[in-house]
């Protein structure tokens, strides 16, 4: 990675291999580099995989976030920007619930010190690791079929460059305590996307290549939402970025329950972990 930056003649970037769950290691990095801004994008994002591994989901998405957020407060970081997901809205799966819990923990730290905590919430990023387009491309190259879990499944999409620009801008405009929601445009049917990719590849459906409906995977929704029940938005100067108006949290109670979740998770009892998660996110 460092060689990549050097080959590109980018001299002001240092890459570090580390684990957000290792508080001692993270502390040493904060002490060494003394950052002004922290953009927290570390997470397990794959829904079916996390359904089978709630321990790891909580360990990384909740405890990892807590460690970085707490260090940001301690080291008086100017702004902490968390990258969340539309799957945190009315979550029906482990991954989404852990990201919502991480959002809630961030909210409890607002106004406890000088650090401004900001959350960004958006949908799928085209071409990112594990996204559907590279999967469809590989399936087309292998002769198919393209696999779609449900014919009516829809998702929001944006490009990597657009997502990065909006996260940076939200981090700049944020005064602390906001959850920014990005305008993702119209949601797209995954089935229609598969048809378009077949057409763009110069093939015909179903003569040259077929589409197989495989059924919803554990924890999957047919459609995603950007706002939870009872939430609304207020505009900003950028029409692509809105602020979600969320319900007030009992910060001390929520914070205590999230700490309990992180401790309970160490018992490696998935049932207890999931029960505690449902207590935090009904």
């Amino acid at each position: 990675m460092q060689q990549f930056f050097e080959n590109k003649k980018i001299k002001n970037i240092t890459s570090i291999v580390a684990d957000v769950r290792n508080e001692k290691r993270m502390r040493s990095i904060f002490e060494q580099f003394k950052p002004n801004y922290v953009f927290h994008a570390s997470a397990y994002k794959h829904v079916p995989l996390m359904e089978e591994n709630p321990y790891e989901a909580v360990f990384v998405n909740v405890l990892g976030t807590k460690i970085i957020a707490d260090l940001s407060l301690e080291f008086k970081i100017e702004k902490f920007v968390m990258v969340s997901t539309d799957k945190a809205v009315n979550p029906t799966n482990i991954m989404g619930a852990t990201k919502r819990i991480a959002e809630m923990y961030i909210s409890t730290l607002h106004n406890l010190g000088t650090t401004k905590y900001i959350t960004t919430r958006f949908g799928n990023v085209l071409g990112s690791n594990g996204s559907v387009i590279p999967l469809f491309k590989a399936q087309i190259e292998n002769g198919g079929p393209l696999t779609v879990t449900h014919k009516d499944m829809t998702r929001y999409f944006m490009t990597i460059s657009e997502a990065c620009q909006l996260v940076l801008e939200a981090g700049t405009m944020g005064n602390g305590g906001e959850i920014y929601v990005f305008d993702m445009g119209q949601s797209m049917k995954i089935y229609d996307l598969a048809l378009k990719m077949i057409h763009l590849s110069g093939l015909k459906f179903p003569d040259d290549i077929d589409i197989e409906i495989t059924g919803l995977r554990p924890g999957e929704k047919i459609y995603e939402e950007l706002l939870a029940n009872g939430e609304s938005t207020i505009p900003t100067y950028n029409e692509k970025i809105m602020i979600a108006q969320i319900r007030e949290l009992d910060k001390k109670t929520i914070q205590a329950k999230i700490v309990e979740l992180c401790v309970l998770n160490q018992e490696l009892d998935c049932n207890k972990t999931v029960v505690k998660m449902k207590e935090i996110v009904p």
Side-chain angles (χ1 to χ4, degrees), residues 232-244:
S232 58
T233 62
I234 55 175
T236 69
Y237 62 78
N238 186 329
E239 62 181 13
K240 284 277 190 178
I241 303 176
M242 298 153 286
I243 300 174

Side-chain angles (χ1 to χ4, degrees), residues 9 20 32 59 64 77 84 86 108 120 122 128 135 140 146 166 177 181 196 200 202-203 215 224 230-231 248 258 276:
K9 297 182 179 179
V20 293
Q32 179 181 357
F59 203 10
I77 303 302
S84 189
D86 54 4
T108 69
T120 60
F122 53 98
S128 64
L135 172 63
I140 289 170
L146 275 66
L166 291 175
V181 178
K196 287 182 180 180
L200 291 172
L203 301 171
E224 301 289 4
E231 290 184 349
E248 286 293 321
I258 293 173
K276 177 57 72 172

Side-chain angles (χ1 to χ4, degrees), residues 10-170:
I10 300 172
K11 300 299 184 182
N12 62 342
I13 293 177
T14 301
S15 60
I16 299 169
V17 177
D19 188 337
V20 293
R21 300 170 297 183
N22 187 331
E23 192 272 342
K24 187 175 181 180
R25 175 82 167 111
M26 292 298 104
R27 179 178 295 277
S28 72
I29 294 170
F30 274 75
E31 289 172 345
Q32 179 181 357
F33 290 95
K34 298 178 174 59
N36 300 107
Y37 278 45
V38 170
F39 290 86
H40 179 61
S42 175
Y44 279 130
K45 69 170 190 173
H46 300 97
V47 170
L49 192 60
M50 292 304 101
E51 285 298 295
E52 302 299 324
N53 297 278
Y55 166 79
E56 292 294 340
V58 171
F59 203 10
V60 173
N61 296 0
V62 180
L63 180 62
T65 298
K66 181 181 181 301
I67 287 171
I68 304 299
D70 288 347
L71 287 171
S72 296
L73 184 68
E74 180 182 339
F75 283 84
K76 296 180 171 60
I77 303 302
E78 289 180 33
K79 289 185 178 179
F80 175 101
V81 183
M82 175 184 161
V83 176
S84 189
T85 170
D86 54 4
K87 292 175 179 61
V89 179
N90 297 324
T92 60
N93 52 62
I94 296 294
M95 192 284 280
T98 57
K99 292 295 284 184
R100 176 57 190 145
I101 292 169
E103 286 184 358
M104 294 166 77
Y105 187 79
I106 297 302
S107 297
T108 69
L109 298 182
H110 179 53
N111 285 336
L112 291 185
T114 58
T115 303
K116 296 177 179 178
Y117 288 90
I118 298 152
T119 296
T120 60
R121 185 192 283 169
F122 53 98
N124 299 277
V125 178
L126 290 169
S128 64
N129 184 30
S131 68
V132 70
I133 286 183
L135 172 63
F136 284 169
K137 184 179 178 182
Q139 290 175 338
I140 289 170
E141 289 172 352
N142 291 328
L146 275 66
T147 54
V148 176
T149 57
H150 194 287
K151 197 168 183 177
D152 295 326
M153 175 173 281
T154 62
R155 289 293 182 267
Y156 291 99
F157 291 101
M158 65 168 46
T159 64
I160 292 173
S161 60
E162 186 177 22
C164 291
Q165 289 169 5
L166 291 175
V167 168
L168 289 170
E169 187 167 355

